[in-house]
Amino acid sequence: MKRYERLGRIRRMDPVTEASEIYRLTVAHEFPWDFTRALELALYRTYAVPSIGGLLARTAELTERSQKRYDDTALLLDAVVEHGFDSEQGRTAVRRINRMHRSYDISDDDMRYVLCTFVVMPKRWIDAYGWRRLSRHEIVASTVHYRTLGHRMGIKEIPSSYEEFEACLDAYEEAHFAWDESARAVSDATLDLMASWYPKPLAPVLRTTTLALLDEPLLRAFRYTPPAPVTRALVRRAVRARGRVVRLLPPRRAPHFARQNREIRSYPQGYRLEQLGTRPTPGLRGCPVRHGDGSAAR
């Protein structure tokens, strides 16, 4: 197979009716490493919205059980990508995602914003660091894939195009990014988790490297001291150089899904989708007690 042969196949497919298959080819064959990094940063940037970061701090899922929370999120989303929405695994994964989110008092606006990060941040990452840019077919397919996920999660007023997702994300961040002490604690725990995947002496370097990949609004919201310009330039050039090297490699023949990532560490003996995720107890750590009519007690 030639380097761009799979892209040719994608361009012959229908980006709407075959959206999830195109998305699977893009994620698991063309850009598995890039999508992993981009989706990590997508979820991470949501902490800068205090209503999101504060809730995550209250649940303690990302401060006390950060590895498990990371793994469960990746595995549930990965099951939909690998098997499709209408498969048994896909339905189970979406059902678990919905049950977890419905246990908390989360606004539609916040849910919609998180969905926007899944659509927008991978494109921005790959445009900057990938071995090639995403084709229009792949952009449309990704948008359709996450619109489908959003509909199955019951999110209202979902953007209809990539451009609308991008505008929604930018507007929401401009309006809602702000300092929050508890959200900063979640951010610090996440940075510590990422550093824990590598030898301990490298932790300070890895933290600086991650901060060098963050944009200014995100750094300001968390009140991190920006890395020196030369550090930022070197880190970003190194990631771009990786993309240029990957371009010279032969295309991947076997798919690589998130469940195969070395960062997934919680389930060395395997896992069952229906057992993943949190099972919040009403009244504890951010999970509201609900009245008989379904409304949350304040």
Side-chain angles (χ1 to χ4, degrees):
M1 180 180 290
K2 297 180 180 178
R3 194 69 183 96
Y4 290 87
E5 187 174 333
R6 188 170 287 113
L7 174 59
R9 174 186 171 187
I10 288 170
R11 284 174 167 160
R12 292 190 296 272
M13 299 171 71
D14 187 307
V16 176
T17 62
E18 298 177 282
S20 288
E21 177 60 20
I22 291 175
Y23 188 68
R24 185 179 304 112
L25 290 170
T26 305
V27 171
H29 288 269
E30 297 284 84
F31 299 100
W33 185 86
D34 294 280
F35 266 89
T36 297
R37 302 287 83 80
L39 291 174
E40 286 170 356
L41 291 176
L43 286 169
Y44 172 83
R45 75 185 296 108
T46 67
Y47 311 160
V49 175
S51 56
I52 298 174
L55 174 61
L56 291 170
R58 291 192 298 276
T59 67
E61 289 297 321
L62 275 166
T63 52
E64 296 181 11
R65 295 173 290 279
S66 51
Q67 182 68 64
K68 184 179 185 303
R69 175 58 187 262
Y70 173 91
D71 293 351
D72 288 1
T73 301
L75 292 171
L76 287 169
L77 292 173
D78 184 58
V80 178
V81 175
E82 181 173 3
H83 302 288
F85 286 103
D86 294 322
S87 66
E88 180 181 351
Q89 298 93 327
R91 290 195 301 271
T92 299
V94 173
R95 186 163 54 247
R96 284 298 303 133
I97 291 170
N98 285 337
R99 285 179 178 172
M100 286 187 291
H101 285 107
R102 288 168 184 164
S103 298
Y104 299 104
D105 191 14
I106 307 173
S107 71
D108 272 331
D109 289 343
D110 280 352
M111 294 280 282
R112 188 183 310 109
Y113 166 64
V114 175
L115 194 69
C116 287
T117 68
F118 294 163
V119 175
V120 176
M121 299 316 299
K123 179 184 181 298
R124 289 182 175 177
W125 173 278
I126 290 170
D127 282 353
Y129 305 117
W131 65 269
R132 64 167 175 83
R133 292 192 171 218
L134 293 179
S135 67
R136 185 63 188 176
H137 269 50
E138 290 168 308
I139 295 166
V140 172
S142 172
T143 302
V144 173
H145 177 87
Y146 282 109
R147 275 180 53 80
T148 303
L149 178 61
H151 284 306
R152 296 197 180 204
M153 292 177 65
I155 300 174
K156 298 179 176 62
E157 299 179 11
I158 300 172
S160 60
S161 68
Y162 172 82
E163 289 74 20
E164 290 183 10
F165 271 102
E166 188 171 45
C168 181
L169 178 139
D170 290 338
Y172 204 72
E173 291 184 349
E174 184 175 359
H176 294 281
F177 267 16
W179 163 255
D180 182 88
E181 185 176 359
S182 59
R184 167 64 185 260
V186 174
S187 171
D188 287 339
T190 301
L191 294 177
D192 290 343
L193 170 66
M194 293 177 177
S196 74
W197 298 330
Y198 302 92
K200 192 171 183 179
L202 295 178
V205 175
L206 291 166
R207 182 183 178 91
T208 300
T209 298
T210 302
L211 293 179
L213 293 170
L214 304 184
D215 53 70
E216 292 293 342
L218 202 50
L219 292 168
R220 285 197 304 270
F222 290 130
R223 295 185 181 176
Y224 287 129
T225 301
V230 65
T231 300
R232 179 175 293 184
L234 287 172
V235 168
R236 296 185 178 196
R237 286 174 186 171
V239 184
R240 289 191 190 100
R242 176 204 167 271
R244 289 193 291 270
V245 170
V246 172
R247 186 184 304 156
L248 301 175
L249 299 177
R252 181 179 295 277
R253 293 190 176 277
H256 181 94
F257 295 102
R259 60 178 171 76
Q260 298 168 289
N261 291 345
R262 60 181 296 274
E263 295 87 0
I264 304 293
R265 298 184 171 189
S266 299
Y267 305 103
Q269 305 305 317
Y271 60 91
R272 296 175 62 184
L273 286 171
E274 60 270 23
Q275 296 176 344
L276 298 181
T278 60
R279 285 171 170 77
T281 300
L284 294 180
R285 287 184 169 171
C287 183
V289 175
R290 295 192 176 274
H291 301 301
D293 62 0
S295 62
R298 298 290 184 179

